[in-house]
Amino acid sequence: AWLLLGSAGNSLQKVTAGSWQDRDNDQPSLEVGRVSLVAGQVGHRHSNDSPDEWFDATINLVIAEGDQICTGEDGRIEIQTDHGRTVRISRNSYLQFVSLSPASSRVSLMSGTASFQLVSVDSAGSARNKAEPSAESGSEGLVFEVNTPAVAITFRQPGNYRINVNDDGGAEVIVREGKAEVYRKEIGNIIVQEGSRFVIDGIDTTRFAVQHAEEADEWDRWNGRRGMETGFRAEENVRR
């Protein structure tokens, strides 16, 4: 098992001999996703696990609502779910799967970097309506939202997205493919088009900017390679 050190979730320390097999009897009955790649130091915790312990994430680990992922300095993990959703989490990151279902998925990224590849979404969904999933969702598509300390993000089209959360809670939303909607009460709803990025300085400010996205870095290139390996094709699934 792993012990989380620090509120940001960026440090893990092994404290007891634990593994996924130790929890076979307690694993969730509803399977919503599985780990398809893991490298380096990656901790995992089910919603019914002790709040003080983290377990090693392993290939084919079942991911369900309430599960949390925490990566160390050299950690990264890929999680694939039904309906063409892929979540990749970079090093020094902390993410929770708040809810996962065919109609509506919500994750919380409290620190670090995560990328999301989606082949189906419901464009009627909106971050400003995050308490009530769209009535037009369900079989027509999927509402996918990401909460950060500063803003809430809804992916409005199938595509390739990246979110960075800084130590001060500030967020960067990068749209490589698709379209995203960013919401914060003080600034309203901001649309971020393909090839653009949204940046907000922190949780106690309303200063933000929408700019041209910077060139891809090593993390983006790795995501692109993984997308090609898994057959990701967002442009073939855009809901018009």
Side-chain angles (χ1 to χ4, degrees), residues 47-173:
S47 59
N48 58 352
D49 285 333
S50 166
D52 298 325
E53 288 188 328
W54 292 79
F55 295 80
D56 292 317
T58 58
I59 296 294
N60 290 326
L61 173 70
V62 176
I63 300 296
E65 290 185 357
D67 284 12
Q68 300 170 56
I69 299 290
C70 184
T71 59
E73 180 63 32
D74 62 346
R76 63 177 55 180
I77 186 172
E78 177 185 85
I79 298 161
Q80 296 180 344
T81 72
D82 293 334
H83 310 285
R85 298 168 284 181
T86 301
V87 180
R88 300 187 184 99
I89 307 168
S90 185
R91 64 188 184 93
N92 293 335
S93 301
Y94 174 52
L95 180 145
Q96 180 176 20
F97 292 88
V98 179
S99 65
L100 285 172
S101 73
S104 177
S105 292
R106 294 176 174 85
V107 304
S108 177
L109 180 64
M110 301 308 295
S111 63
T113 295
S115 291
F116 305 85
Q117 287 185 332
L118 311 176
V119 300
S120 176
V121 296
D122 178 6
S123 61
S126 170
R128 61 190 167 187
N129 298 320
K130 59 183 179 178
E132 299 180 6
S134 168
E136 300 181 24
S137 60
S139 62
E140 290 299 316
L142 164 75
V143 177
F144 199 108
E145 299 176 358
V146 181
N147 290 327
T148 73
V151 293
I153 305 103
T154 300
F155 302 137
R156 298 290 297 273
Q157 291 181 354
N160 188 343
Y161 304 89
R162 171 176 172 173
I163 300 176
N164 303 318
V165 176
N166 304 325
D167 291 341
D168 62 0
E172 178 183 26
V173 180

